[in-house]
Amino acid sequence: EYGERLQVRLFEDLAHARWRDIEGLKHARITQALGVGMERVTGAASLLLHSAVSLAMLAAQWLMTLLIAPAVALILLAVAALGAVPLMRTLGGSSALGRHISTGSVSLVHTTSQLLGGLKLSFAQNMQPAFVNEYAAVARELKNRQYAFLRDYSHRRAILTLGAALAGALLLFVGYVLGTTIAALLAVFAIFARMNAAAVSFVQSTMHLANDAPAHADLTALFAELEGGRSLSWRR
């Protein structure tokens, strides 16, 4: 429903915009926003909800740990804070890739529309190879950047899994040294196992969210350009 409302709103803005406000807009930009861009925006909205749920689960599970073994819970919080530092750098890389995907997909649509809009001229002047080379170059660049994102994503997931195993061992050791009862340690370890699953889900969602978020920024900018010229009778 969210995506449908955005699509209809964008089409309405386009249909009622003043000519001077849309004259300079690339047709490919509109086409990309109504297609792939809109899918990425709705995907980002879904990922935002998923991240919020995972974060709420982590908070509730940490509070349970705090009630059972306060010292262990504080150590767990410190470990999570340390893990947040490399995650923020990763999110920056994911966001940069998302911006490249947005610009690259617009370039692909633009090249395609240029070829289809001037087929007769292209055949007459033998321009087809130039269009093909331009399209292939952009597609190759997008593929390489997506591979880089997937490699980084896999590395982060492996590091998170290894870090969780080490953190679990550390928690058990520290809890034992501090005199935590065996029953409490077992309960904390069971909660920690569930927290690990929620943490992995949170990291995955936030990385993909950072990757899709630039599409929302592009759509917001497009709305601002189109709605700036809407007549007062059309505003609501």
Side-chain angles (χ1 to χ4, degrees):
E1 184 180 354
Y2 173 68
E4 181 185 357
R5 287 203 308 268
L6 286 179
Q7 280 183 314
V8 173
R9 176 185 166 190
L10 179 57
F11 203 83
E12 288 177 345
D13 286 356
L14 180 64
H16 292 82
R18 294 178 302 191
W19 171 249
R20 65 171 178 266
D21 294 317
I22 62 174
E23 183 181 9
L25 287 178
K26 280 186 177 181
H27 291 181
R29 188 178 169 196
I30 301 292
T31 304
Q32 189 269 349
L34 287 169
V36 176
M38 198 64 66
E39 291 178 2
R40 295 179 65 207
V41 169
T42 54
S46 176
L47 288 167
L48 183 61
L49 292 174
H50 198 279
S51 299
V53 171
S54 297
L55 190 60
M57 290 176 62
L58 283 170
Q61 291 160 348
W62 182 81
L63 287 174
M64 291 175 63
T65 306
L66 184 65
L67 293 174
I68 298 172
V72 175
L74 293 177
I75 295 173
L76 183 59
L77 184 62
V79 171
L82 290 175
V85 176
L87 175 61
M88 295 303 296
R89 291 199 297 266
T90 300
L91 294 182
S94 299
S95 179
L97 174 63
R99 288 192 293 271
H100 284 293
I101 290 176
S102 295
T103 56
S105 58
V106 170
S107 297
L108 292 178
V109 176
H110 181 64
T111 303
T112 303
S113 61
Q114 279 188 314
L115 176 62
L116 294 176
L119 278 177
K120 185 179 292 187
L121 181 63
S122 298
F123 279 108
Q125 300 185 5
N126 195 29
M127 298 173 60
Q128 304 97 314
F131 282 112
V132 172
N133 291 335
E134 180 181 352
Y135 189 95
V138 176
R140 190 181 310 113
E141 177 66 16
L142 282 176
K143 178 200 69 176
N144 292 336
R145 291 186 180 276
Q146 288 171 331
Y147 278 163
F149 170 75
L150 290 175
R151 283 195 300 268
D152 186 56
Y153 174 78
S154 299
H155 292 162
R156 297 296 177 185
R157 184 169 182 174
I159 292 173
L160 181 62
T161 302
L162 178 60
L166 294 176
L170 177 63
L171 288 176
L172 289 177
F173 175 75
V174 172
Y176 178 78
V177 171
L178 294 177
T180 306
T181 64
I182 298 298
L185 283 178
L186 290 175
V188 167
F189 191 76
I191 296 173
F192 177 77
R194 292 183 175 274
M195 290 184 70
N196 181 42
V200 171
S201 177
F202 177 75
V203 171
Q204 291 175 344
S205 297
T206 51
M207 287 186 67
H208 286 288
L209 174 60
N211 186 259
D212 287 341
H216 187 274
D218 294 339
L219 186 62
T220 300
L222 189 56
F223 276 136
E225 293 178 40
L226 292 175
E227 293 180 350
R230 294 172 78 174
S231 63
L232 291 177
S233 62
W234 183 249
R235 294 182 186 274
R236 61 187 179 196

